[in-house]
């Protein structure tokens, strides 16, 4: 009898201990927004996060993904994160940079050569320290960085040298680091969200765009612009954010589970781009458009002038350049 009671107690205590460590306070269906189209790697990572979180929580927790700006543009999503109306988002750092300008250092022209270099810089202490400022300065928790492919220039006219771009209307992601880059070069930056770009190329609102290879394929921009300059002039980080208010409402176990799961998927995103970028460029070549690699000398003087404008961020930019140049 004793043995069986003991057995019962041991079993019960063990079961309660397991429950205390695994059972969530309440089932959570986290809402996660992005502006990129369905099928984009950021949304694939968000979907993988749903699967992993569900597995870790015994089917209790999950993630509902809202792609393609269904919840609004990035600025609107940031506001929703701040009020707690939205739980999480995978965002470009455009709106974040508009609010915390030091993030602009990540867009210094020719900071890195490729996605592998970008991933190294984003893992470094100075880049990670920027994330630590987000709760106080923006009311959001920055879990880690993701990345997209390197920035390139696509045009619907042939380009031999930089003078061919003078005065042209260049679609850019709406934020200051890119605006400054093109202003320095005498090119007319035209801020425009992604879904408008295809038609804008057709109706002459823009005749060139600052873009990346994945989006060229996703949106079939090669149907409207048949010259691609492979410039690699900037990396394009993404950040995984959680609402500060939502974060404060989570138990320590939930925070840890969410942090770990999101970090794993952001690492997956960074790795995928390292592996897939060359294949994406090859796929663009098969469309028959002109693909022309150029190097930094194509943009004379732009780095020094950009860093003059971003003088407040120069010490940080120098630190990031040192990380990029290190073995
Ligand atoms: C862009 O505005 O070009 C962009 C937006 C989201 C992901 C990657 C690029």
């Amino acid at each position: 009898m004793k043995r069986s009671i003991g057995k019962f107690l041991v079993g019960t205590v063990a079961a309660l201990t397991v429950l205390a460590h695994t059972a969530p306070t309440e089932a959570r269906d986290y809402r996660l927004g992005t502006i990129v189209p369905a099928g984009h790697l950021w949304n694939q990572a968000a979907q993988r996060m749903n699967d992993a979180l569900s597995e870790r929580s015994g089917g209790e927790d999950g993630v509902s993904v809202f792609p393609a700006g269904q919840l609004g543009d990035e600025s609107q999503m940031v506001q929703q994160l701040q009020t707690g109306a939205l739980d999480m988002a995978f965002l470009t750092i455009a709106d974040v940079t508009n609010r915390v300008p030091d993030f602009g250092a990540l867009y210094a022209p020719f900071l890195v050569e490729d996605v592998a270099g970008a991933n190294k810089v984003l893992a470094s202490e100075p880049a990670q320290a920027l994330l630590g400022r987000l709760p106080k300065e923006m009311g959001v928790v920055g879990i880690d960085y993701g990345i997209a492919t390197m920035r390139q220039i696509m045009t619907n006219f042939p380009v031999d040298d930089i003078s061919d771009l003078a005065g042209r209307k260049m679609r850019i992601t709406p934020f200051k680091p890119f605006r400054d880059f093109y202003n320095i070069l005498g090119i007319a930056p035209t801020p425009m969200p992604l879904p408008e770009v295809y038609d804008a190329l057709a109706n002459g609102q823009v005749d060139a765009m600052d873009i990346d290879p994945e989006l060229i394929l996703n949106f079939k921009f090669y149907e409207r612009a048949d010259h691609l300059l492979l410039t690699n002039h900037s990396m394009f980080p993404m950040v995984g954010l959680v609402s500060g208010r939502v974060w404060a409402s989570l138990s320590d176990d939930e925070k840890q589970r969410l942090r770990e799961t999101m970090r794993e998927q952001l690492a997956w995103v960074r790795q995928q781009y390292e592996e897939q970028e060359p294949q994406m460029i090859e796929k663009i070549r098969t469309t028959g458009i002109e693909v022309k690699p150029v190097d930094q000398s194509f943009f004379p003087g732009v780095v020094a002038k950009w860093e003059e404008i971003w003088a407040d961020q120069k010490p940080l930019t120098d630190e990031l350049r040192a990380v990029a140049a290190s073995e």
Side-chain angles (χ1 to χ4, degrees):
M1 188 65 152
K2 261 187 179 172
R3 221 170 70 185
S4 62
I5 289 177
K7 217 172 161 189
F8 169 77
L9 282 176
V10 168
T12 308
V13 169
L16 287 174
T17 307
V18 168
L19 272 178
H21 285 288
T22 57
T25 336
E26 58 184 280
R28 304 266 183 186
D29 179 23
Y30 298 102
R31 299 165 81 241
L32 186 154
T34 76
I35 53 156
V36 288
H40 190 278
L41 274 168
W42 297 2
N43 291 324
Q44 291 181 38
Q47 206 50 55
R48 287 168 56 94
M49 216 184 129
N50 172 56
D51 301 342
L53 204 55
S54 169
E55 199 178 312
R56 280 197 172 137
S57 62
E60 291 284 337
D61 294 351
V63 179
S64 295
V65 185
F66 296 86
Q70 279 175 28
L71 301 178
D73 61 24
E74 290 204 335
S75 178
Q76 290 164 327
M77 280 193 265
V78 168
Q79 283 165 21
Q80 292 163 24
L81 289 170
Q82 289 171 327
T83 63
L86 176 62
D87 302 311
M88 308 191 286
F90 287 167
L91 299 184
T92 75
I93 306 191
D95 195 70
V96 175
T97 300
N98 291 339
R99 293 162 195 261
V100 185
D102 284 355
F103 276 88
L106 299 173
Y107 297 95
F110 301 104
L111 175 61
V112 298
E113 286 179 7
D114 52 23
V115 175
N119 287 343
K120 183 164 89 170
V121 166
L122 294 175
S124 71
E125 196 278 326
Q128 291 287 317
L130 286 172
L131 295 177
R133 293 170 49 184
L134 289 177
K136 196 153 173 221
E137 296 183 38
M138 263 182 74
V140 295
V141 178
I143 300 290
D144 205 348
Y145 295 102
I147 194 75
T149 41
M150 297 291 290
R151 301 306 287 188
Q152 318 294 347
I153 293 176
M154 202 171 190
T155 63
N156 57 13
F157 53 90
V159 177
D160 289 323
D161 61 51
I162 193 72
S163 64
D164 293 324
L165 288 167
R168 296 291 194 152
K169 287 166 288 175
M170 174 79 64
R171 174 273 161 176
I172 61 162
T173 312
F175 77 135
K176 191 170 180 315
F178 283 5
R179 205 169 61 221
D180 292 340
F181 179 79
Y182 288 108
N183 276 332
I184 290 166
L185 294 166
I187 300 166
T190 310
M192 187 176 287
L194 286 172
E196 293 171 24
V197 179
Y198 188 92
D199 288 343
L201 278 165
N203 65 29
Q205 219 181 322
V206 294
D207 35 25
M209 62 183 138
D210 183 298
I211 199 70
D212 75 36
E214 183 181 23
L215 294 168
I216 292 171
L217 293 167
N218 279 168
F219 284 95
K220 298 191 167 80
F221 287 136
Y222 49 81
E223 292 177 351
R224 292 282 173 224
D226 42 12
H227 303 272
L228 176 62
L229 285 176
L230 285 181
T231 57
N232 291 319
H233 57 276
S234 175
M235 66 172 175
F236 202 75
M238 169 263 259
V239 65
L241 298 177
V242 180
S243 158
R245 285 188 172 209
V246 171
W247 190 253
S249 75
L250 301 180
S251 70
D252 287 348
D253 278 356
E254 286 171 317
K255 281 181 189 162
Q256 192 190 346
R257 193 156 56 224
L258 195 55
R259 185 186 288 281
E260 272 175 20
T261 312
M262 193 185 273
R263 279 181 67 87
E264 280 168 12
Q265 294 314 320
L266 293 172
W268 179 81
V269 164
R270 297 194 302 270
Q271 188 58 36
Q272 287 301 307
Y273 281 110
E274 252 183 82
E275 287 169 19
Q276 290 192 30
E277 186 174 46
Q279 297 154 25
M280 290 175 187
I281 291 168
E282 274 321 299
K283 203 161 170 196
I284 293 171
R285 282 185 209 276
T286 66
T287 66
I289 68 167
E290 183 196 28
V291 178
K292 186 154 78 179
V294 298
D295 62 23
Q296 190 176 333
S297 63
F298 187 87
F299 303 97
V302 76
V303 171
K305 286 183 189 149
W306 190 94
E307 289 186 353
E308 257 172 49
I309 297 173
W310 287 78
D312 289 350
Q313 283 71 33
K314 179 85 167 87
L316 177 56
T317 307
D318 287 345
E319 271 189 88
L320 297 175
R321 286 199 191 281
V323 172
S326 66
E327 285 304 313

